[in-house]
Amino acid sequence: KQEVTQIPAALSVPEGENLVLNCSFTDSAIYNLQWFRQDPGKGLTSLLLIQSSQREQTSGRLNASLDKSSGRSTLYIAASQPGDSATYLCAVLYNNNDMRFGAGTRLTVKP
Amino acid sequence: EAGVTQFPSHSVIEKGQTVTLRCDPISGHDNLYWYRRVMGKEIKFLLHFVKESKQDESGMPNNRFLAERTGGTYSTLKVQPAELEDSGVYFCASSQVRTHAYFGPGTRLTVL
């Protein structure tokens, strides 16, 4: 069964802190992994995509890593800001073209 | 290039009525996915089209849900009859083979 798990479910940090969000998947036959953010009442915004052959991707203050052998990905957010408050979702695209989401981590960055 | 579009953006219906959601993928994208997020819960996979064929519909909750993809272009998701627990946000995504998935803005469905 292709399950994707995200820990923690919710996270609250003061502004300026660095933080890590975790995503794990049970089936290692993945093609790529995407991190998204969802703002309340809004759609999904793609943040980073990591191909299965890659170890990490960076965009601004965001860094996503992938360890396919252990079934884990992390999203690192540096110097967090209140505008980073949102729900962060990871989605795994498997080799059979099926895509599954984790339940998300709800992040609150307090000013 | 236009992104994935969904129509309507919001729909409010009464229990027992029928609603049809539409998704227009990015032109040329063979893969089309439907997901939904019920209030307070995770995003759940519904089904996956490759062109006009259903590759995986294991996530469809019951036979009140019917998805079609005419000619491998746009897709519709019909809920008939709608129940209270169907309320949520329905997302559509499209992709070329094994590339970025692009998501539509979602349709917020409220069943009263």
Side-chain angles (χ1 to χ4, degrees), chain A residues 31-32 34 36 38 41-44 46 48-49 51 87 89 93-103, chain B residues 31 33 35 37 41-43 45 48 50 55-56 58 89 91 93 96-101 103-106 108:
Chain A
Y31 193 79
N32 63 43
Q34 273 183 270
F36 294 86
Q38 183 182 19
K42 301 276 181 72
L44 297 169
S46 181
L48 289 164
L49 179 145
Q51 301 292 350
T87 296
L89 299 143
L93 180 67
Y94 290 96
N95 288 336
N96 64 358
N97 259 343
D98 281 342
M99 185 164 60
R100 297 289 186 273
F101 278 85
Chain B
N31 291 289
Y33 304 86
Y35 297 86
R37 184 165 197 154
K41 298 197 175 175
E42 65 207 77
I43 293 179
F45 167 80
H48 170 205
V50 178
Q55 165 148 325
D56 182 354
S58 61
V89 181
F91 290 104
Q96 275 292 23
V97 178
R98 298 179 179 179
T99 61
H100 260 288
F103 276 78
R108 183 171 298 278

Side-chain angles (χ1 to χ4, degrees), chain A:
Chain A
K1 191 175 179 183
Q2 297 169 332
E3 293 184 351
V4 180
T5 306
Q6 289 188 247
I7 294 173
L11 181 64
S12 181
V13 299
E15 181 177 4
E17 256 194 28
N18 302 325
L19 57 102
V20 175
L21 309 180
N22 297 289
C23 173
S24 61
F25 43 94
T26 55
D27 185 345
S28 61
I30 77 167
Y31 193 79
N32 63 43
L33 184 147
Q34 273 183 270
W35 282 93
F36 294 86
R37 71 174 277 169
Q38 183 182 19
D39 294 278
K42 301 276 181 72
L44 297 169
T45 302
S46 181
L47 299 173
L48 289 164
L49 179 145
I50 312 178
Q51 301 292 350
S52 64
S53 58
Q54 297 176 322
R55 298 284 294 183
E56 65 177 338
Q57 283 286 328
T58 299
S59 176
R61 295 181 294 108
L62 305 179
N63 176 278
S65 69
L66 175 64
D67 185 342
K68 206 170 82 164
S69 61
S70 66
R72 293 174 188 273
S73 175
T74 62
L75 179 66
Y76 174 82
I77 302 177
S80 58
Q81 302 171 358
D84 295 331
S85 298
T87 296
Y88 289 80
L89 299 143
C90 76
V92 176
L93 180 67
Y94 290 96
N95 288 336
N96 64 358
N97 259 343
D98 281 342
M99 185 164 60
R100 297 289 186 273
F101 278 85
T105 294
R106 190 172 66 255
L107 173 66
T108 303
V109 180
K110 298 178 182 177

Side-chain angles (χ1 to χ4, degrees), chain B:
Chain B
E1 179 183 311
V4 178
T5 57
Q6 292 187 246
F7 182 83
S9 57
H10 292 86
S11 180
V12 181
I13 61 172
E14 293 189 349
K15 175 182 172 180
Q17 288 185 321
T18 298
V19 63
T20 300
L21 313 180
R22 174 169 170 146
C23 169
D24 284 78
I26 293 173
S27 177
H29 282 192
D30 289 341
N31 291 289
L32 189 149
Y33 304 86
W34 281 99
Y35 297 86
R36 72 171 179 177
R37 184 165 197 154
V38 218
M39 185 66 71
K41 298 197 175 175
E42 65 207 77
I43 293 179
K44 288 282 195 181
F45 167 80
L46 295 177
L47 87 159
H48 170 205
F49 283 100
V50 178
K51 296 184 180 178
E52 67 275 11
S53 300
K54 294 176 186 175
Q55 165 148 325
D56 182 354
E57 52 183 330
S58 61
M60 296 287 264
N62 51 60
N63 59 11
R64 295 186 293 104
F65 289 75
L66 175 64
E68 295 179 325
R69 189 176 182 193
T70 306
T73 56
Y74 70 91
S75 175
T76 58
L77 180 64
K78 180 191 286 189
V79 185
Q80 179 182 29
E83 298 289 343
L84 299 178
E85 63 264 25
D86 300 332
S87 295
V89 181
Y90 289 76
F91 290 104
C92 169
S94 75
S95 71
Q96 275 292 23
V97 178
R98 298 179 179 179
T99 61
H100 260 288
Y102 295 85
F103 276 78
T107 293
R108 183 171 298 278
L109 174 64
T110 302
V111 182
L112 302 175

